[in-house]
Structure formats: structure tokens, C-alpha cells
Amino acid sequence: MTTGEQQVNESEMGTAQEVEANTAWLSFTEEGNKAIRCEWLHLQPIEKSVAGVRTCCRLIVSPSTGAAPIRNRLQTDLAGEDAETKGDSCCCVLLAAPVCLAALSAQRLACRCSWHGSSPLRGYKRVSCRQVIFASAHPPPRPGPPGRHIPPSMVLEATIIIVDNSEHSRNGDYVPSRFEAQIDAVNLIFSAKTQANPESSVGLMSMGGAQPEVLTTLTTDHGKVIDGLHRTKIKGRSNFSVALNVAGLALKHRQNKSQHQRIIVFTCSPIAENEKDFVKLAKRMKKNTIAVDIVAFGDLDSDTTKKVGAFHDAIKGSADGSHLAIIQPGPNLLSDSIVATDILAGDGAHYGNQDSSGGGGDHGGSGGGGGGFDFGIDPQADPELALALRMSMEEEEKRRQREEEAKAKAESKTSLEAVAEDGEGSSAAADGAASKDDNNKDKKDGPGAGDSMDTS
Amino acid sequence: MGKLWNLRIVFLRLQYSVFPIPKFPSFFLGLLPIHMRVDLMDFIDWSGVECLNQSTSHSLPNALKQGYREDDGLNLESDADEQLLMYIPFMQVIKLHSIVVKGPEEEGPKTVKLYSNKEHMGFGNVNDYPPSDTAVLSPDNLKGKPVVLKYVKFQNVRSLTIFIEDNQSGSDITKVQKIALFGTT
């Protein structure tokens, strides 16, 4: 254990410089004897602490640390009682290399975890968390030779993305236009797939124009994919089944046979094929062990939805599961809506996926990004944090609901019993409420306020 | 000069034949009786192994890998229909002598077609090539009796494609408990 601890500290110290660009360090101060306050600090690109997410912090596990020491560390800390930090609630985003994530998610860490911060900021204490949410980090420095430590849960995939470049994709009912939205989503999917496993490759096809065309063969080079997207002209009608067959052929001749085959189709135009042929095509794909994800958006009349649904029903249950996402027009970005679906979730080990636009995102633009996102940060600038916050919020809501129900039940009993139970049960509830209040207050007051966080 | 070199090489070879290093499989195999030929599992190039139409939760390693294949509870199952297509590359050229396919009585495979050195086969083009050998499995075969193949057809095998065309009962799912390949290197 001690060696494990040393290893963690050492690697954090040692690699601090090199991973700095990809990480944010956690800093928190002690207030009084009990209250622990966290805020999180961006060292990149500028030193910055974000207000309103005070109860959030990031945990950094550098890729060179290896999974075992972290696991041990978290385990012991989970078991260890820490009187000081009891009762404060915070959610924690764990930034870890995919390698570490698999090992950690196997542990099903759910409640509390503690972490000793070490350099570069002195005076770190530990932070306790109600919740650990796993999110994947920026492309981590690759640990050793590629593919060495990759556990089987990291799916190795060859993915062909088919974009719809028919005339229907000129429509502006998605922001900024249907085709631009697809480009954004393709970038997102590319990053997600190559981050889940560095050996996963992605190819690109278009299905509009004179005939479906392979724009980029399977590659791990982001530049080639962007280049392929740039060469695409919006033209003609889409040809769904031909495109799918060509993609299947391209996948069949992939270099690395251990890659699972997957096609992700974007479609925003009416589908010309009749349902019977469509189902037949799905069966053929299934027989060739190709998973097909469909992102249907745009002209979502009942006929299209029905065909797409039939296709999905026929292919369901094939390798790694095929997904269907029907995305209605709206103010949200197409890529944001895709993040919320199962298409990128993979086996569920990594929830958040780095938006490729995240690096260039404007940190100053706060709050206004996504519709109905009210945590005081820009979800565009930091999608995985946004996702973590959203999830944490939902869980908190559920917990409060449960507690309220329990409370109502207790009140309906005799008053004496109710008092006794209420006293116990409400501490957590009050805690939750307090943290929420704090959250709201913080939004108004900025980072300096909200010292009275710990109410237990 | 060239002649001298050749002589030297011949001399070296002679030396080695006088003091042979006993490489077990290649050296002794020819002398062994047929039923003791080598299990070719060790020569499979696992990174290239592929199986079409396998069910995700019941994949090819269940039938092909040591330890898994001995367990009759772990099956390879077909997904969309009853057919299965396996591509098994080897790390070196082998000679294939016989094959064992174990399966349940009802859902076990029936017609098995074997192709040697055919890359990139799919269900679409299985009928384009004549199989190197076709075996119709009997209930005895499904219990573990090896099927002896046309040995001459499998003298230079770099990769083997096994196509399971149908199963015993004609049901939708084919199950395979074990596949073992025997031959020499």
C-alpha cells in the first residue's frame, strides 16, 4: 500500500509538467474545523476557478500511475472513516486514462472517496465525495506501447461513419445547418472512438451525390477525417442501402481483424427503400457481425421512423448492440444530443466524451450554452463536467424524492416516532437541501460566498 | 568461390544432421501414429481469427480456446440464422489431418465445409469456391470422434475457413462446443 501511495505521489509529481496541459488540479480550503470547501482550478489555459460548482472537484489520475495503486488507494480511503469531512457533499469528476477507468469502474465506487492532493499546490488536504463519476479525460499520454494494458472491456472497433450529404442536409432546422451539425457530430464520434481505444479506427463515407463514396478509409488520423468532410459537397439524393453495403465491404477488408465492425449512419432525408428490403439489409448486416447505429434526424415523418425502427428491430442484438437515436430538431446541438444517447456510451464505463471543440471552446461564455443548463458553467466548454453535473443533479433529486417519501410515511405514523425518525433522516435531507441552496446562492454571489456550506 | 561456399553450407548441414537438435513436433511427428498428431491450436494466429454470424455473448473462443472448449457449457452460437463462418489463420504453414467438432445432438452442426487459404470470405461468396473438403457430421462425430479429412488437400495451409452450413435439426441457432484441429507443421 505504501509503495502504491508513493507511486501515486511520485507519478503525480513527476508527470505534473507533462500532463499539466490536460489536467486541472484540485484545490480546496478548510474552513473551521469541519467544513471543507472545494473549488476547482484550471491551470490550463488560464488559472481560473469556476463559481457555482463549488461542490464539484476533479480527481486526477495520471495515466502513468497504473490502475492497481489507485484502486488500492480508493479502496482504503473508502473504508477509512474521516470525521472531519463527514457530511459534506460533493461530486467528483475523475479524470483518468481509459486504462485506469476500467479497473476502477469494476470496483463500483459509488459513495465516498478521498484523495490526497499533492503538488503543485501545497497545503492540499483530502476531499471526500458522495459520488464518483467517471469521465474520460483529454487524450492521455499513451501508456507504454499501445495496446499493452488495454483490458477487454475497452472495445476495439472499426467504425465507418456515413454522413448524409443529400440536398436535404442543407436545411437549417438544426444549428447551424444539418450538414454542419453532422460534421460536428462526426468529430465528436471520432474522438470518442479513438479515445476509448487507441487502436480503434474510424472511416468516413457520404451517401448523397451521384453515388455513395468512401471519403476516408479506416484511419486513426483526425486530420484525414476532417479532410474527408471538407471534400464533401452537398448534392443529390441519399442512397441508404448502397451506402451501407459499401461500408460493409470497407469494413470487411479492415487491416486488423480483431476490430469489431460498426457503421454509424446519419440520415436526414426520406428513405427510398421499402421496408421489406430494409429489414433484409439489416439481417444481412447482422449476419456479417456488423453493428449499425442509426442517427435519424431531420425529416422525421412516420414513414421514415417506421422504416428506421424496423431496421433497428431486425438488427438488434448483434455484436456490441446496435443503437437507434431519433433526434428532433431543436436549439440543442446535434452532437450534444448524441452524447446523451447510447451510441457513445459503449459498455457504460465512460460516460463523458471529450468534445473535439472543447479545446477551442470559449471559457468566458457561461451558462448560456445549452438550453436549460443552469449550473453556472458553459456546457460547451467542458462537456464532461456538464454531464457529470447533470447526472449528479438527477441523482440528488431522486435521493431527495425518496427521502421526502420516507418522511411523509414517517409523519403519517405516530408523532413520537415521526420525531425520532425525522431527526435522523432529515440530516441527510437537510444536507442535500443546503448544498442545493448553496449552489444557488453561489451562482449569485460568485466564488467568494457560501462559506457556511457544511451544515451537519 | 561460389562452389566453396556451397561446400561449406553442405558441411554445416551435415554437422547439424550428425548432432540433431530434437525439435519435438517437426522431428518426431512423422514417426507417430496418426491418432497422436499434434493439436494445431498452438499455431493459430489469434489476432486474425474471425467468426461471422456469431452471437456476441457466445463467441468463437468458447469453442476454440484451450480451457473454454473443454467446457461443454460454453458454446459458440450463431446469431441471425444457423450458419457460421470462421476464419482461422496460422502462424506458420501447417498440414491438416483431422478435425473434431463437438456439439449438442439437436443444435450441433451438420454440414461443414472447409476451405484452405481463402482470405476475405463472406457468406456472399462461399459458393463461389469449391470447398477443399466437405464433412457431414454424424452423432458420433458430435460426441468427439474426429473427422479424417482429405489429407492431400490440406498440405499447405496458411489459413483455414470453416463454413457451417446447417445443423442437425434445422433450427435457427447452431451451437458448437468444441473445435479442435489436428495435423502436423
Side-chain angles (χ1 to χ4, degrees), chain B residues 101-174:
Chain B
V101 180
K102 270 178 81 179
E105 227 164 273
E106 291 285 302
E107 291 135 320
K110 191 175 172 195
T111 313
V112 178
K113 290 182 175 169
L114 296 137
Y115 303 82
S116 63
N117 304 333
K118 291 273 181 291
E119 321 258 311
H120 304 301
M121 275 182 73
F123 287 108
N125 59 1
V126 274
N127 293 323
D128 296 358
Y129 312 106
S132 307
D133 200 358
T134 307
V136 179
L137 301 182
S138 66
D140 273 351
N141 292 136
L142 288 180
K143 284 182 188 124
K145 187 183 167 215
V147 184
V148 179
L149 304 167
K150 293 177 193 157
Y151 193 45
V152 285
K153 292 270 197 176
F154 298 95
Q155 289 297 304
N156 237 325
V157 183
R158 287 179 306 278
S159 69
L160 180 72
T161 307
I162 305 174
F163 173 48
I164 295 177
E165 198 168 26
D166 53 9
N167 60 28
Q168 300 284 340
S169 62
S171 62
D172 250 2
I173 293 176
T174 304

Side-chain angles (χ1 to χ4, degrees), chain A residues 24-310:
Chain A
W25 292 94
L26 169 70
S27 116
F28 50 99
T29 53
E30 204 176 355
E31 283 162 19
N33 220 4
K34 285 181 178 174
I36 298 274
R37 217 190 115 211
C38 335
E39 57 191 9
W40 71 288
L41 260 132
H42 253 311
L43 290 187
Q44 252 287 319
I46 37 162
E47 221 172 77
K48 186 179 175 189
S49 62
V50 180
V53 285
R54 200 196 46 169
T55 49
C56 254
C57 55
R58 279 184 165 188
L59 225 76
I60 296 131
V61 181
S62 73
S64 53
T65 312
I70 303 162
R71 191 180 51 228
N72 292 341
R73 180 69 164 273
L74 287 173
Q75 261 175 344
T76 44
D77 282 352
L78 276 171
E81 276 292 305
D82 189 350
E84 272 191 359
T85 56
K86 226 178 194 174
D88 69 339
S89 77
C90 55
C91 111
C92 181
V93 182
L94 186 69
L95 283 179
V99 181
C100 316
L101 276 180
L104 291 173
S105 64
Q107 301 294 313
R108 300 212 178 282
L109 297 168
C111 43
R112 285 163 56 94
C113 92
S114 306
W115 181 261
H116 297 275
S118 61
S119 70
L121 303 172
R122 290 275 159 207
Y124 274 19
K125 281 277 183 159
R126 59 169 57 185
V127 61
S128 78
C129 310
R130 274 272 159 73
Q131 223 178 354
V132 179
I133 295 163
F134 295 102
S136 61
H138 285 270
R142 283 178 193 168
R148 236 189 71 203
H149 297 293
I150 293 163
S153 64
M154 295 289 145
V155 195
L156 181 59
E157 274 181 343
T159 311
I160 297 259
I161 306 175
I162 305 178
V163 292
D164 189 342
N165 64 333
S166 63
E167 294 287 355
H168 294 269
S169 61
R170 282 192 203 279
N171 200 326
D173 51 357
Y174 291 79
V175 191
S177 79
R178 284 187 188 175
F179 190 70
E180 302 274 318
Q182 285 182 72
I183 290 179
D184 187 30
V186 168
N187 285 328
L188 170 79
I189 292 170
F190 180 88
S191 327
K193 291 288 178 201
T194 46
Q195 272 166 40
N197 190 322
E199 283 188 78
S200 284
S201 51
V202 179
L204 188 68
M205 275 190 66
S206 64
M207 63 173 171
Q211 62 197 33
E213 191 184 346
V214 178
L215 301 166
T216 315
T217 48
L218 292 167
T219 179
T220 51
D221 187 353
H222 201 163
K224 280 189 183 160
V225 172
I226 293 171
D227 174 55
L229 285 168
H230 271 280
R231 278 190 285 124
T232 315
K233 299 274 182 298
I234 298 178
K235 206 181 158 195
R237 297 173 162 276
S238 68
N239 199 337
F240 198 99
S241 55
V242 174
L244 228 57
N245 280 325
V246 172
L249 213 56
L251 282 173
K252 188 179 162 191
H253 291 277
R254 65 199 185 281
Q255 295 273 305
N256 184 353
K257 289 276 189 242
S258 49
Q259 289 172 328
H260 292 223
Q261 307 170 84
R262 179 177 294 279
I263 300 173
I264 301 178
V265 200
F266 288 87
T267 171
C268 61
S269 46
I271 292 163
E273 289 83 357
N274 66 41
E275 196 176 318
K276 219 173 157 190
D277 293 345
F278 220 50
V279 169
K280 214 186 244 173
L281 177 67
K283 291 245 169 74
R284 191 156 67 236
M285 288 291 153
K286 190 181 179 187
K287 200 171 172 186
N288 286 318
T289 334
I290 301 174
V292 182
D293 294 342
I294 301 180
V295 181
F297 65 112
D299 295 329
L300 293 168
D301 51 9
S302 62
D303 188 44
T304 310
T305 348
K306 202 175 142 217
K307 278 178 189 168
V308 166

Side-chain angles (χ1 to χ4, degrees), chain B residues 7 15 17 28 36 53 61 72 74 78 86 106 109 118 142 146 149 153 162 183:
Chain B
L7 277 176
Q15 235 185 352
S17 65
F28 286 109
M36 282 180 70
N53 200 27
D72 285 349
L74 284 171
S78 64
M86 289 157 240
E106 291 285 302
K118 291 273 181 291
L142 288 180
L149 304 167
K153 292 270 197 176
I162 305 174

